[in-house]
């Protein structure tokens, strides 16, 4: 489902132009003509991102941003402040108020859409954290978030040592984190005696045009640095490189020469997001492993899946968005155990679980529901997208045979039932029953197929 974006501007022409840009990229656009209306719509509709004009007659963008950040219901929504102002003071006010970014008019469509894509990816991570935390509390094994975070480590990577030293001087006294100039080689081969940097500030033209982007892709490909935050520094005219950097996984951008106060604000925001994401990964790895995962496949188990599905349903009821539940059952699985042994059956379950994991979004839920049955929940998904996802999973499961422990391989297939949830869709139990009935129809119709709701 495309992201839903709230455009806030008191000038109708500005709203229309923004809507055209976003609608062409298949985003769902909401509009508000003033700050107070924006606050009401944000609380009621829970958009995925807000594009907020800075100067409005009833309530200016800075005040709106501060109020959105102070309200738990809207605090995590990414905000881009859009204005005709270009001065450093306006940028600092916006960032200090909690804006994720600041864009000056006239807007560059390429940069705007790249920023939107980047922030929506970050939003998806934040939503996943909120869902996981809620589920863990229901299960009774969520630990309270730590109130104190130790200083982080920030690496400054530039082609010339003098450039990195200048950045370090600009940040002096503004951050409590440890700031370390590094060469490209040191960034790619961290000293075993030191912690891996939490955040990298990288010169875009590192050792030549595009060098910083090449370093970015290397960092994203390595397990040690894959989850580090990255801010790329570019010349003001490098618009295409800027868009490419965001799409390659840069978390933020700045143009040279750097303003120390603005850089510090951006680094603080990125460090906070990095710590939040680290907390999510640590919780999933450690807190849930024994209590909520299936020991064979590593997927979530039924105990986790049911309360998490209830959380998805609660959010859907609140926002008016739909979600899908898929029940997958491996065809003729009993025959696999009977003919090839339980070790072969286990190998099939592990392989199918991995194929499901590899073909779903981070925000989706996939669980081993019992025996050879799996449950998948797809938040923010309509019936057309849900059935398409089910068909994709069915094809992936049967695309390649599964290697068996004793040698040889085995072709497997799955039948899938799809049911849709959302406002007035009934209880979670009723939704699972509807998916189970669709699964039964798929089995009865010949197996290796999908049955679900009619699509538009």
């Amino acid at each position: 489902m495309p992201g839903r974006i709230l455009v806030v501007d008191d000038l109708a022409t500005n709203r229309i132009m923004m809507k055209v840009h976003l609608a062409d990229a298949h985003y769902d656009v909401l509009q508000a003509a003033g700050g107070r209306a924006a606050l009401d719509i944000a609380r009621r509709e829970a958009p995925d991102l807000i594009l907020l004009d800075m100067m409005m007659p009833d309530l200016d963008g800075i005040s709106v941003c501060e109020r959105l950040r102070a309200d738990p219901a809207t605090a995590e929504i990414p905000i881009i402040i859009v204005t005709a102002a270009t001065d450093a003071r306006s940028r600092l006010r916006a960032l200090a108020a909690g804006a994720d970014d600041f864009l000056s008019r006239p807007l560059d469509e390429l940069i705007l859409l790249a920023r939107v894509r980047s922030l929506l990816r970050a939003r998806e991570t934040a939503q996943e954290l909120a869902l996981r935390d809620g589920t863990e509390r229901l299960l009774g094994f969520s630990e309270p978030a730590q109130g104190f975070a130790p200083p982080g480590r920030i690496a400054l990577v530039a082609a010339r040592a003098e450039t990195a030293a200048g950045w370090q001087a600009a940040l002096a006294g503004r951050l409590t984190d440890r700031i370390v100039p590094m060469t490209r080689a040191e960034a790619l081969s961290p000293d075993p005696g030191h912690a891996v940097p939490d955040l990298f500030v990288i010169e875009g033209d590192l050792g030549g045009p595009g060098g910083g982007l090449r370093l970015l892709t290397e960092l994203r490909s390595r397990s040690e640095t894959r989850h580090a935050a990255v801010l790329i520094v570019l010349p003001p005219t490098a618009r295409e490189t800027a868009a490419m950097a965001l799409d390659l996984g840069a978390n933020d951008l700045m143009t040279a020469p750097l303003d120390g106060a603005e850089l510090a604000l951006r680094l603080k925001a990125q460090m906070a997001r990095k710590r939040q994401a680290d907390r999510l990964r640590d919780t999933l790895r450690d807190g849930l492993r024994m209590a909520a995962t299936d020991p064979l496949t590593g997927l979530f188990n039924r105990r986790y899946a049911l309360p998490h599905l209830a959380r998805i349903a609660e959010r859907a009821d609140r926002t008016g968005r739909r979600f899908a539940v898929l029940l997958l059952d491996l065809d003729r699985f009993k025959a696999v155990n009977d003919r090839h042994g339980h070790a072969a059956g286990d190998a099939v379950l592990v392989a199918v679980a991995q194929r499901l994991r590899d073909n779903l979004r981070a925000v989706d839920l996939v669980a081993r529901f019992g025996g050879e049955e799996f449950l998948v929940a797809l938040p923010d998904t309509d019936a057309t997208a849900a059935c398409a996802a089910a068909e994709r999973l069915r094809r992936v499961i049967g695309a390649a045979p599964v290697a068996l422990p004793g040698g040889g391989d085995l072709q497997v297939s799955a039948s899938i039932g799809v049911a849709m949830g959302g406002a007035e869709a009934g209880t979670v139990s009723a939704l699972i029953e509807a998916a189970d009935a669709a699964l039964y129809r798929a089995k009865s119709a010949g197996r290796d197929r999908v049955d679900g709701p009619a699509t538009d």
Side-chain angles (χ1 to χ4, degrees), residues 30-48:
L30 305 171
Q31 298 184 57
R36 298 188 189 282
L39 292 171
D40 291 340
I41 294 172
R43 294 186 188 108
R44 185 175 67 250
E45 301 292 339
D48 297 301

Side-chain angles (χ1 to χ4, degrees), residues 118 155 198-203 212-213 215-217 219-220 225-233 245-246 248-253 267 270 274:
S118 177
D198 299 286
L199 199 157
F200 290 86
V201 179
I202 302 173
E203 188 175 23
L213 270 59
L215 176 57
L216 167 64
T217 57
L219 293 173
R220 288 286 179 253
T225 54
R226 181 170 300 141
H227 302 298
V230 177
L231 184 149
I232 300 289
V233 181
L246 291 168
L248 287 174
N251 302 90
D252 204 355
L253 301 174
L267 293 181
Q270 292 302 326
K274 166 68 164 54

Side-chain angles (χ1 to χ4, degrees), residues 137-452:
R137 283 193 296 274
L138 286 174
L139 292 174
F141 52 76
S142 178
E143 295 182 2
Q146 294 182 355
F148 171 76
R153 195 162 189 255
I154 299 174
L156 308 179
V157 189
R160 299 171 63 245
E162 294 84 351
T163 302
W167 295 349
Q168 189 172 20
L171 290 170
R174 300 182 189 275
L175 298 172
T176 59
D177 304 294
R178 186 182 176 197
I179 302 170
V180 185
M182 280 188 180
T183 65
R184 182 182 187 279
E186 289 170 337
L188 292 176
S189 301
D191 187 336
H194 295 92
V196 174
D198 299 286
L199 199 157
F200 290 86
V201 179
I202 302 173
E203 188 175 23
D205 291 335
L206 184 65
L213 270 59
R214 287 192 289 274
L215 176 57
L216 167 64
T217 57
E218 287 288 348
L219 293 173
R220 288 286 179 253
S221 71
R222 300 175 184 224
S223 59
E224 302 91 343
T225 54
R226 181 170 300 141
H227 302 298
V230 177
L231 184 149
I232 300 289
V233 181
L234 293 165
T237 56
R239 55 187 293 275
E240 292 187 1
T241 304
M244 187 181 302
L246 291 168
D247 285 337
L248 287 174
N251 302 90
D252 204 355
L253 301 174
M254 281 190 70
T255 56
L258 296 183
D259 177 88
E262 180 180 348
L263 178 60
L265 285 172
R266 289 183 181 274
L267 293 181
K268 285 178 183 178
Q270 292 302 326
M271 189 67 76
R273 290 197 191 101
K274 166 68 164 54
R275 287 175 175 141
Q276 182 186 60
D278 286 347
R279 178 178 161 232
L280 168 62
R281 284 185 290 272
D282 290 345
T283 299
L284 292 177
R285 184 185 63 242
D286 301 327
L288 304 182
R289 183 176 295 149
M290 297 303 295
T293 57
D294 170 51
L296 175 64
T297 63
L299 298 179
F300 291 117
N301 59 21
R302 189 186 187 100
R303 181 188 181 204
Y304 180 93
L306 290 175
H308 187 73
L309 186 56
R311 291 274 299 167
I312 293 174
E314 287 170 10
R315 195 184 71 163
D317 188 56
R318 221 171 35 244
T319 62
R321 302 186 189 186
R322 306 205 74 193
F323 68 97
V325 172
L326 283 57
L327 279 181
L328 300 82
D329 190 84
L330 299 184
D331 297 326
R332 300 183 175 89
F333 184 74
K334 183 176 183 300
V336 175
N337 284 328
D338 291 344
R339 296 175 188 172
H340 302 279
H342 288 281
D346 288 350
V348 168
L349 292 171
V350 169
V352 169
Q354 189 61 51
R355 292 174 191 183
L356 292 174
R357 255 193 303 258
D358 291 343
N359 287 275
L360 291 167
R361 304 169 298 178
V363 74
D364 297 332
L365 168 70
V366 55
R368 185 181 177 194
F369 213 51
E372 67 273 20
E373 193 171 57
F374 299 85
L375 179 140
V376 172
L378 307 174
D380 299 339
T381 302
D382 60 23
T384 299
C387 290
E391 282 290 351
R392 185 181 72 251
L393 294 176
R394 184 191 64 79
R395 290 194 300 269
V396 164
I397 289 170
V402 175
L404 301 181
D409 52 40
L410 183 68
Q411 193 70 41
V412 297
S413 67
S415 301
I416 305 176
V418 182
M420 296 304 301
E424 302 178 0
T427 65
V428 166
S429 296
L431 188 60
I432 292 174
E433 288 177 7
D436 193 49
L439 173 61
Y440 178 80
R441 292 194 298 270
K443 290 278 191 183
S444 300
R447 298 183 174 87
D448 192 18
R449 63 190 61 212
V450 171
D451 190 285

